[in-house]
């Protein structure tokens, strides 16, 4: 299952990249990147997963003393949380930029924003 | 000490505090921002002090009350302190600079700035890989945000492109982090390093991803189009941050990362770095937009530093010194230049000519480009020196060559730019700038010089070099920067006094050979300075440049080790470049001068480095102990390097323009004096290394050929020159060819002859240049065919020229003959006959151009428009008359100068010395009595002259014109003076020899570089997707390289 | 076509890199050193039942501070971007007719949603969820209100004050850790209490609440900026 | 249970990939909303997968932020752009769909 | 070899002999040329007549300092050249002032006169004079090259630069002359000799000055006389060098007269046979024919 999730994650990343490279619409590129980010998150979580263990939350079933043998690795989860939030921040920013660019030039085609070159 | 965490706390507190304020209260918000940044700078500064002065140990800062690797920790050491200081100061100064923009954007903008600086500090401080990622993302986002400060509407698109790229990078970063974590079980950088990530399953690829994500922030070629766009469109103050601070942080992050990757990643870093360095510098060549040019330069510098990081295996403990020197030079200079660019309205390089209205800003600019080019006395110079030495010591010669080539290209476009500033059309408007904009720039200047002092000190204490900024001649030269407000004559007096005083204080320290050079450089320089009294006003910029050149020359003869020698060489190059650039139309010539000179200097550097074999300090005399197979290569490099200065044929194309376009009193300085530096270098080289064979070819024999060809072709080209000063300049090529020939003979008399040429050439070329300059000043042209008949109007100039040409041509009884006599005696002892034949040919040819010089200017018919000319100004005539006297004295008593040298040379060439019995100078082949010759000639001449005068005692002076044309009007007035295309038959017969082959060769080379660059830069088509494309290509290529390794 | 081909080729290269990662991956059978430490020490040292929360708020608190800053930065910049050149912008806002149902419904639902958000972050150290999720939920409440009444003006001052207050308090709590406990962002400036209780785990609930507030405020600010772009004439 | 879970996650994964492909490959003038929705769907499936992978915190976050807020943001912006497009549209409608000109 | 005062009268004596010989020889050669062209030619004492006339006339015209300097430079060059070289081998009386310098001095002092001529002509102010000078200098510069090569070849051969020593080495029979020991050098030098004598076919140089109003027309009376004197001394001074270097020198005046005459005749002989060259032609001619010989002589010596 880990492999499957991880493979899905990687494929999502690749699909995202492919979308970002072949779609010239700014918004679609942003969509593609959110896909890639989701893929990354899946990969990270999949790495932390260990077969037959539970979520890293202590309760009656998982006591503090038994935790080491019962829970899965909490670190990747912590990282993913951060990554998701950062991803949102960047996405929001890109959206705002896209909007402003559209407002300036009236197009969402990235190939139209090549005033700076060479 | 203040906990380093407060760097982060302070920025965040300030950023959040801003939210409480009424958006309208901008000044309060601005004050808070500045206060926070000041506080941060102070914290960093105090740590720098603690580590640098008190030698404290690095401090680890734990968070969450838990020890690493279980919680995030930061580290504050000397490197972190210095880098955060750089970041914070850049932030603070940029905040000052950004005042208007910050007021316009309000508190949110200020918050973004604060967070940006905080994020960069975080990148530097943190020791946790995921924390590094978070700070990186902060930096990325704030970068995108700070793009909004720009007035340029394209900035938004640039920011967007950056976000696209950084999204891709963050994917790689995260994947890399999580797999690295999986492999090592920790997120701590030091922990990962200990666990040797590369050994674990998948660890190597995980590291590859991390590496890519961080290295991509260093804008490697070709995945750097986004960075260029950011630099170009961003507000200059932000571009300063992006270049100086972000760059520094990213480099340090890479450095930390390489800790994890270990040795196997070093070659890849080097590869990426050097390719980027070369490519970016090349691509900058055809650039005309100032900010984009700086962008390319930034990228190049970062690439160089990456390459240096990749050489850590051989640099060892010196790595921080070298990388730091390069980094700080780059950061300060780039920040300064970007700040400067904010003052310039136009975006073309030539628009910077407006800087001329503010000499202070020009000084700032010079400081910055000198720092970037790695010139002394800035940190980059010391760093470059050590780097090149260590590379050469370990035999990494290809890398060494690439670095030097890249650096040369960089210097080329930077100095070309400087040429634009000094020479291009200047619009009427002046620079409008607020104190808020000037302060950062001046701070950068001060910082640059201060760091020069620091690095000099480090270099002195760690590698035993000398701190250049403490060298008396240089200090004296620099003091003229402070005195530049004084009138020219005061400064001139000071300069002369200083040089003479220095000579009198130190003359006892030189051996006879050096003494001759010392006299020429210091006393000779002082004599030429007499002509500078002719200048009026303040003559801003002249004295610092001239004194810099003299300081370099003085330090050159005083140098005992290769470091001192090379530093002096660079200084004198720089000084003379500024001098040459002062000429009216000298822009392209000064540029080619500085490019050739720096190219030569790099060869010298490489030669010294190769010779030293890694030893940090190397005495010039130790050159003699080199053995095969190294020695001939060292010899070759050094010889070519020195020959760029003596303008040996093939490397000569800079000389005619540079010498002829220079100002009247500058031409003799750069011709009469500066050229001798190259000869001095050759002397030092040949004296210690002697004859060397390479692939069975005797290298001195090659020099002999070069000398002979220079003599012949230099003279030939002079014949066909219409421009008086160019003619003299070509003549210098020929004269230096003779001197080179003499040295390459490698016998006693050959050397003596070379020295004779050194002295003679100084005297007569200075005299002739002054004379020609004085005439040009009066007539307003340097084209000889536009003159004629000036003998009656400018008799003193005529006498100087007459004496000069007699001396140059070697006709007895003047001192040129002595040189020829020694020359013939010298060649009798050697077996190289063919080059001699060539040099024989050069002799009579010299006569042709010399005659042309005196005839077309002073003889023939006077032009109508010149009828009211006056003699050249007194101060220009005075040194000429001194030279006439000197020439006479030296002609009669050559022993004054040569006798001691002759004895001195015995220790190198025990055989073949001269005997100085009585007044006769005797060699083993012939003899010569200068005083007798002088007396005999004078008696014969005087008798005949007196007799003729007596016979024609009442001759009536007849107007030349009347008698020639019998009072008839000539058909066309311009046909009265035959001067244009003077040696037409010669051109018909031998003109094919002076086809501009060398010029064509170098021109083609330059064009080729430009075309390549112009085609390659189309890669950056401005499309964000293309940039992602490049990034992917870069990733795949690096991966393939990695597999290949 | 060629471009697409090269794209695929490049992506195949990247895919190959990923594939080699995937195929060399060997799942751990035991917790690694770091995870093991967290499993063993969280309960005793930090006192939080949700180990992820403990890591986020305490062990890797600096990351979280950075993360919050990312949001702060993003919302600031979004605000900046959208207000850029606003003065010249003359377009009329396209009014969307909003149904009565949505309006009333949202007025009723929004407070409930926000309450849920608060619940989520206050319980962050015990149950799944925490400041970020709670903050996001609060923001969706705001979103609902916005949808219901697109012309509604949020008090920017209020949002900004909230942002700043929560941010400053967060930093201040962190600094308190320097003085009163083991280091920056150490949660043990307050007693750790009993595992599993609401008031436990030291400063974690407090910090997580502040994070929740902060995140909620940032999201709301972003949404508000987006919604008001064209209203600022 | 494991087989069930594995099967479920397999279905999820396939669905995710399908939705993702839909998100980037869907064409047509008005395809952007569909694309955004598909991306949101991917996030939603991902959060379910996170639950299966014993990461409830992540699942909640992904659901709230990844599929919820992000999708909303997209739509919000799309609406703005459409609003702007109707008034300042210089590119007669095709501007919105700036894709696949090649 | 040191200076002593007796050298001065002795040198003047040499000068006197050479001047007279030069006058006669010049006229003789001219006459022979005329006869070869089936003309009668000038009387043998014609030079004396000219000289007396010119020296006794006074000019009342000057163009300025350089106008004086031309003839002075020129004659100084001729006299100096003669006096710096020993005339009669082995004779103290006629070793002249050769203590002052060796072969190199003589070689370079040749230019002194050339320079003076050029300067004087320049001061005449006529454009044609300048044209003549450029041509002359162009030609001389290439004509001197084979000579310099030959001289150097000889110096290499005898390993000395002292004229006396070179002559000494050639004593003891004709076969010891450089002419036979180093024929290539002599050949080169003799070709060069043609170019420097300003006689046909290499005399186009003087044409533009002569034909309209060049220096010889400007220089009349005593100016001209001085130049005529030089025209008698200078070729002979030059021939003395050739004689010393290549033809074993002269140990008595009769031998001296004979050898000088023969060498002079060589240039005259060629002059009547060949037509004039243009300057660039003569430059090429020297480079193609004379210079390779000189190079060979140096390489093979």
């Amino acid at each position: 299952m880990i492999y499957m999730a991880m493979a899905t994650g990687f494929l999502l990343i690749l699909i995202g990249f492919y979308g970002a490279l072949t779609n010239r619409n700014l918004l679609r590129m942003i969509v593609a990147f959110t896909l890639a980010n989701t893929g990354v998150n899946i990969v990270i979580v999949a790495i932390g997963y260990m077969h037959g263990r539970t979520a890293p939350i202590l309760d009656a079933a998982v006591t503090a003393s038994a935790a080491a043998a019962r829970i899965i690795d909490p670190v990747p989860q912590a990282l993913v949380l951060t990554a998701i939030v950062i991803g949102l921040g960047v996405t929001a920013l890109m959206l705002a930029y896209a909007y402003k660019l559209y407002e300036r030039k009236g197009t969402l085609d990235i190939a139209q924003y090549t005033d700076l070159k060479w | 000490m203040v906990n380093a965490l407060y760097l982060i706390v302070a920025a965040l507190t300030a950023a959040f505090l801003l939210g409480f304020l009424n958006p309208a209260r901008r000044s309060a918000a601005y004050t808070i921002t500045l206060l926070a940044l000041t506080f941060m700078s102070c914290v960093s500064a105090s740590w720098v002090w603690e580590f640098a002065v008190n030698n404290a140990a690095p401090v680890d800062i734990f968070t969450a009350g838990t020890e690493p690797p279980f919680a995030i920790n930061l580290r504050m050491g000397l490197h972190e302190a210095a880098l955060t200081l750089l970041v914070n100061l850049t932030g603070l100064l940029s905040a000052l600079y950004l005042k208007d923009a910050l007021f316009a954007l309000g508190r949110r903008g200020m918050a973004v700035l604060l967070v940006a600086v905080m994020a960069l500090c975080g990148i530097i401080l943190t020791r946790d890989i995921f924390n590094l990622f978070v700070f990186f993302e902060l930096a990325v986002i704030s970068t995108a945000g700070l793009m909004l400060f720009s007035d340029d509407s394209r900035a938004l698109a640039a920011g967007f492109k950056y976000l696209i790229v950084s999204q891709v990078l963050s994917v790689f970063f995260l994947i890399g982090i999580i797999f690295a974590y999986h492999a090592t079980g920790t997120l701590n950088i030091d922990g990962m390093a200990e666990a040797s990530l590369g050994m674990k399953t998948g660890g190597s690829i995980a590291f590859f991803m991390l590496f890519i994500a961080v290295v991509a922030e260093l804008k490697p070629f070709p995945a750097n189009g986004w960075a260029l766009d950011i630099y170009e469109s961003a507000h200059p103050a932000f571009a300063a941050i992006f270049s100086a601070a972000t760059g520094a942080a990213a480099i340090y992050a890479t450095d930390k990362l390489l800790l994890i990757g270990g040795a196997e990643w070093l070659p890849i870093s080097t590869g990426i770095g050097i390719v980027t360095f070369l490519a970016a510098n090349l691509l900058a060549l055809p650039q005309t937009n100032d900010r984009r040019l700086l962008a390319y330069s930034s990228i190049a510098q970062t690439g160089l530093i990456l390459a240096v990081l990749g050489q850590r295996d051989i640099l060892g403990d010196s790595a921080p010194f070298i990388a730091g020197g390069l980094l700080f030079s780059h950061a300060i200079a780039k920040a300064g230049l970007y700040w400067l660019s904010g003052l310039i309205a136009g975006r073309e390089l030539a628009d910077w000519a407006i800087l001329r209205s503010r000499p202070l800003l020009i000084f700032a600019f010079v400081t910055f480009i000198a720092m970037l080019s790695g010139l002394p006395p800035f940190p980059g110079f010391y760093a470059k020196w050590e780097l090149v030495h260590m590379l050469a010591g370990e035999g990494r010669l290809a890398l060494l060559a690439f670095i030097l080539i890249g650096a040369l290209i960089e210097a080329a476009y930077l100095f070309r730019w400087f040429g634009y500033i000094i020479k291009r059309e200047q619009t009427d408007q002046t620079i409008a700038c607020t104190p808020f904009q000037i302060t950062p720039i001046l701070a950068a200047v001060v910082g640059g010089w201060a760091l020069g002092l620091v690095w000099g000190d480090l270099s002195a204490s760690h590698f035993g070099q000398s701190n250049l900024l403490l060298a008396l001649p240089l200090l004296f030269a620099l003091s003229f920067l402070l005195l530049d407000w004084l009138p020219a004559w005061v400064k001139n007096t000071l300069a002369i006094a200083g040089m003479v005083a220095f000579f009198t204080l130190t003359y006892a320290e030189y051996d006879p050979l050096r003494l001759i050079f010392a006299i020429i450089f210091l006393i000779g320089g002082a004599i030429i300075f007499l002509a500078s009294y002719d200048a009026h006003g303040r003559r801003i910029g002249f004295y610092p440049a001239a004194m810099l050149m003299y300081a370099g020359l003085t330090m050159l003869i005083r140098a005992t080790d290769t470091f001192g020698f090379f530093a002096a060489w660079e200084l004198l190059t720089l000084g003379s470049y500024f001098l040459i650039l002062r000429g009216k139309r000298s822009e392209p010539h000064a540029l080619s001068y500085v490019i050739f000179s720096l190219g030569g200097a790099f060869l010298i550097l490489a030669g010294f480095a190769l010779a030293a074999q890694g030893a940090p300090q190397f005495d010039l005399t130790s050159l003699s102990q080199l053995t095969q197979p190294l020695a001939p290569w060292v010899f070759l490099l050094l010889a070519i390097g020195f020959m760029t200065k003596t303008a040996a044929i093939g490397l000569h194309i800079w000389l005619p323009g540079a010498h002829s376009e220079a100002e009247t009193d500058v031409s003799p300085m750069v011709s009469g004096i500066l050229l001798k530096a190259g000869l001095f270098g050759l002397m030092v080289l040949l004296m210690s290394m002697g004859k060397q064979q390479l692939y069975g070819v005797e290298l001195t024999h090659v020099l002999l050929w070069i000398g002979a060809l220079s003599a012949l072709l230099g003279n030939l080209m002079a014949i066909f020159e219409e421009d008086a000063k160019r003619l003299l300049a070509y003549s210098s090529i020929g004269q230096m060819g003779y001197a080179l020939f003499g040295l390459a003979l490698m016998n006693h008399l050959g050397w003596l002859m070379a020295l004779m040429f050194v002295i003679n050439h100084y005297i007569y070329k200075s005299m002739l240049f002054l004379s020609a300059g004085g005439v040009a000043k009066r007539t307003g042209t340097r084209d000889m065919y536009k003159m004629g008949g000036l003998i009656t109007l400018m008799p003193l100039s005529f006498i100087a020229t007459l004496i000069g040409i007699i001396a140059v041509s070697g006709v007895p009884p003047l001192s040129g003959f002595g040189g020829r006599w020694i020359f013939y005696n010298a060649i009798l002892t050697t077996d190289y006959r063919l080059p001699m034949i060539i040099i024989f040919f050069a002799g009579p040819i010299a006569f042709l151009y010399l005659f042309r010089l005196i005839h077309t200017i002073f003889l023939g018919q006077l032009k109508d428009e010149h009828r009211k000319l006056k003699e050249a100004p007194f101060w220009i005539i005075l040194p000429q008359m001194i030279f006439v006297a000197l020439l006479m004295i030296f002609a009669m008593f050559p022993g004054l100068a040569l006798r001691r040298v002759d004895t001195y040379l015995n220790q190198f060439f025990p055989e073949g010395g001269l005997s100085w019995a009585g007044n006769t100078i005797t060699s083993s082949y012939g003899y010569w009595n200068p005083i007798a010759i002088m007396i005999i000639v004078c008696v014969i001449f005087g008798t005949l002259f007196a007799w003729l005068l007596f016979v024609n005692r009442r001759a009536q002076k007849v107007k030349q014109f009347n008698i020639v044309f019998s009072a008839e009007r000539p058909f066309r007035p311009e046909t009265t003076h035959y001067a244009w295309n003077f040696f037409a038959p010669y051109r018909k017969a031998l003109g094919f020899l002076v086809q501009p082959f060398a010029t064509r060769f170098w021109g083609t080379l330059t064009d080729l570089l430009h075309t390549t660059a112009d085609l390659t830069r189309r890669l950056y088509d401005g499309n964000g997707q293309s940039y992602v494309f490049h990034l992917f290509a870069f990733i795949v290529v690096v991966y393939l390289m990695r597999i290949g390794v | 076509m060629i471009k697409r081909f090269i794209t695929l080729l490049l992506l195949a290269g990247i895919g190959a890199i990923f594939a080699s990662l995937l195929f060399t991956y060997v799942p751990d059978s035991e917790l690694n050193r770091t995870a093991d430490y967290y499993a063993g020490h969280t309960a005793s040292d930090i006192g939080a039942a949700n180990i992820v929360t403990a890591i986020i708020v305490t062990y890797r608190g600096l990351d979280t501070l950075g993360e919050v800053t990312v949001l702060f930065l993003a919302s600031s910049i979004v605000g900046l971007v959208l207000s850029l050149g606003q003065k010249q912008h003359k377009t009329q806002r396209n009014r969307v007719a909003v149904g009565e149902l949505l309006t009333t419904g949202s007025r009723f639902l929004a407070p409930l949603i926000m309450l849920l958000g608060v619940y989520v972050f206050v319980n962050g150290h015990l149950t799944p969820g925490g400041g970020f999720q709670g903050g996001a939920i609060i923001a969706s409440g705001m979103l609902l209100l916005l949808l219901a009444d697109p012309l509604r003006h949020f008090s920017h001052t209020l949002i900004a004050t909230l942002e700043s207050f929560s941010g400053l308090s967060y930093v201040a709590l962190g600094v308190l850790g320097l003085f009163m406990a083991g280091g920056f962002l150490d949660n043990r400036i307050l007693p750790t209490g009993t595992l599993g209780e609401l008031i436990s785990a030291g400063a974690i609930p407090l910090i997580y609440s502040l994070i929740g507030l902060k995140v909620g405020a940032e999201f709301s600010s972003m949404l508000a900026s987006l919604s008001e772009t064209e209203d600022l004439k | 249970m494991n087989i069930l879970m594995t099967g479920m996650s397999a279905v999820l994964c396939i669905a995710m990939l399908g939705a993702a492909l839909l998100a980037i490959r869907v064409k047509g003038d008005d395809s952007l909303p569909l694309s955004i929705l598909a991306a949101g769907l991917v996030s939603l499936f991902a959060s379910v997968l996170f639950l299966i992978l014993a990461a409830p915190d992540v699942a909640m976050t992904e659901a709230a932020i990844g599929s919820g807020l992000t999708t909303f943001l997209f739509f919000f912006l799309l609406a703005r752009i459409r609003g702007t497009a109707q008034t300042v549209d210089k590119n007669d409608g095709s501007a919105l769909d700036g894709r696949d000109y090649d | 070899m040191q200076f002593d005062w007796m050298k001065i009268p002795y040198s003047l004596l040499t000068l006197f002999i050479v001047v007279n010989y030069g006058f006669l020889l010049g006229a003789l050669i001219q006459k022979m040329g005329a006869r070869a062209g089936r003309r009668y030619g000038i009387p043998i004492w014609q030079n004396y007549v000219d000289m007396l006339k010119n020296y006794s006339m006074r000019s009342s015209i000057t163009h300025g300092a350089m106008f004086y300097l031309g003839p002075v430079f020129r004659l100084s060059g001729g006299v100096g050249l003669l006096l710096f070289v020993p005339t009669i081998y082995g004779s103290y009386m006629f070793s002249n002032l050769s203590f002052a310098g060796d072969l190199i001095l003589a070689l370079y002092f040749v230019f002194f006169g050339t320079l003076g001529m050029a300067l004087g002509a320049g001061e005449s102010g006529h454009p044609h004079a300048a044209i003549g000078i450029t041509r002359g200098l162009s030609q001389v510069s290439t004509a001197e090259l084979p000579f310099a090569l030959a001289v150097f070849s000889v110096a290499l051969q005898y390993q000395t630069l002292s004229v006396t020593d070179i002559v000494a080495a050639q004593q003891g029979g004709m076969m010891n002359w450089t002419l036979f020991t180093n024929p290539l050098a002599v050949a080169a030098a003799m070709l060069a000799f043609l170019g420097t004598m300003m006689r046909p076919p290499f005399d186009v140089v003087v044409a533009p000055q002569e034909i309209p109003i060049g220096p010889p027309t400007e220089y009349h009376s005593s100016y001209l006389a001085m130049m005529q004197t030089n025209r008698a001394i200078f070729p002979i001074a030059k021939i003395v060098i050739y004689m010393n270097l290549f033809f074993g020198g002269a140990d008595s005046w009769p031998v001296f007269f004979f050898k000088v005459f023969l060498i002079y005749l060589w240039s005259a002989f060629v002059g009547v046979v060949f037509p004039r060259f243009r300057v660039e032609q003569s430059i090429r001619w020297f480079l193609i024919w004379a210079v390779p010989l000189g190079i060979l002589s140096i390489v093979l010596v």
Side-chain angles (χ1 to χ4, degrees), chain B residues 738 791-792 798 802 805-806 809-813 817 820-825 827-830 833-834 836-845 847-848 851-852 854-855 858-861 917 919-920 923-930 932-933 936-937 940-961 963-966 975-979 982-986 988-990, chain E residues 1-2 55 57-69 71-73 75-77 79-80 83-84 97-102 104-109 111-112 114-115 118-131 133-135 137-142 144-145 148-149 152 155-156 159-165 213 218 221-223 226 278-281 283-284 287 291 294-295 298-301:
Chain B
Y738 271 102
I791 176 171
T792 46
F798 169 75
L802 179 65
I805 68 164
I806 293 177
S809 59
V811 171
F817 171 69
R820 298 304 199 289
W821 184 83
I822 298 179
F823 164 71
Y824 275 90
N825 279 287
I827 57 179
L828 268 173
T829 56
T830 56
R833 299 204 176 143
L834 286 175
M836 279 171 212
I837 293 163
I838 292 176
I839 214 159
F840 273 8
F841 194 21
I845 291 178
F847 202 69
L848 299 188
F851 177 73
R852 175 176 196 178
I854 198 159
H855 176 92
F858 292 103
L859 305 180
Q861 299 286 347
N919 294 321
T920 309
S923 75
S924 44
Y925 305 101
Y927 54 90
W928 164 48
N929 187 338
I933 295 174
I936 292 169
V937 173
I940 299 175
F941 192 90
T943 314
L944 292 172
F945 192 44
W947 185 72
L948 206 56
L949 274 180
F950 171 76
V951 172
N952 299 317
R953 55 190 170 278
R954 257 175 296 179
Q956 183 194 354
K957 183 106 166 55
V958 176
K959 280 271 165 61
Q960 213 180 23
F961 186 86
I963 199 153
V964 169
F965 295 99
S966 312
T975 57
T976 54
H977 186 46
Y978 175 73
F982 203 62
F983 290 106
Y986 226 74
K988 273 188 205 148
L990 291 177
Chain E
M1 278 180 294
Q2 282 298 318
Y55 272 118
M57 289 203 317
R58 268 188 52 200
S59 166
S60 54
I61 282 183
T62 170
H63 287 201
M66 215 61 235
F67 196 62
Y68 290 112
L69 292 183
V72 174
F73 257 107
L75 187 53
S76 305
V79 173
L83 294 186
F84 283 140
L97 304 174
S98 61
F99 67 88
D102 49 25
I104 308 301
L105 176 62
L107 216 56
Y108 269 89
F109 206 69
F111 283 109
F112 196 83
T114 316
L115 178 68
L119 290 177
E123 178 60 4
S124 85
H126 198 282
H128 289 164
I131 293 174
I133 295 162
T134 66
R135 292 179 177 181
L137 289 176
S138 306
Q139 179 174 308
V140 164
S141 69
T142 39
E144 285 291 341
L145 180 59
L149 293 173
F152 192 64
L156 279 172
Q159 285 293 302
T160 179
L161 287 169
S162 156
V163 181
T164 318
D165 292 350
I213 32 177
E218 284 298 308
S221 67
S222 50
Y223 302 105
M226 225 174 223
R278 284 207 310 273
V279 173
E280 70 267 20
Q281 284 172 328
I283 290 175
R284 285 200 199 105
L287 289 182
V291 170
I295 294 174
I298 283 194
V299 173
L300 293 180
V301 74

Side-chain angles (χ1 to χ4, degrees), chain E residues 176-191:
Chain E
N176 285 344
W177 291 3
T178 316
L179 175 64
F180 299 106
T181 55
N182 193 356
L184 285 172
V186 179
M190 290 321 284
L191 292 180

Side-chain angles (χ1 to χ4, degrees), chain A residues 117-118, chain B residues 220-225 228 275-287 292 296 409 1007-1022 1026-1027 1030:
Chain A
K117 54 185 169 187
W118 300 342
Chain B
F221 177 81
N224 50 18
L228 295 165
V275 167
T276 305
F277 181 59
L278 277 175
N281 273 333
L282 185 65
L283 294 182
L285 265 185
Q287 202 46 250
R292 206 165 175 88
Y296 279 112
I409 299 178
D1007 287 349
L1008 214 62
L1009 284 180
H1010 263 97
T1011 317
T1012 316
D1014 207 30
L1015 289 178
T1016 314
R1017 71 190 177 125
R1018 314 234 158 219
L1019 198 65
Y1020 303 126
D1021 61 2
S1026 309
Y1027 294 163
H1030 301 156

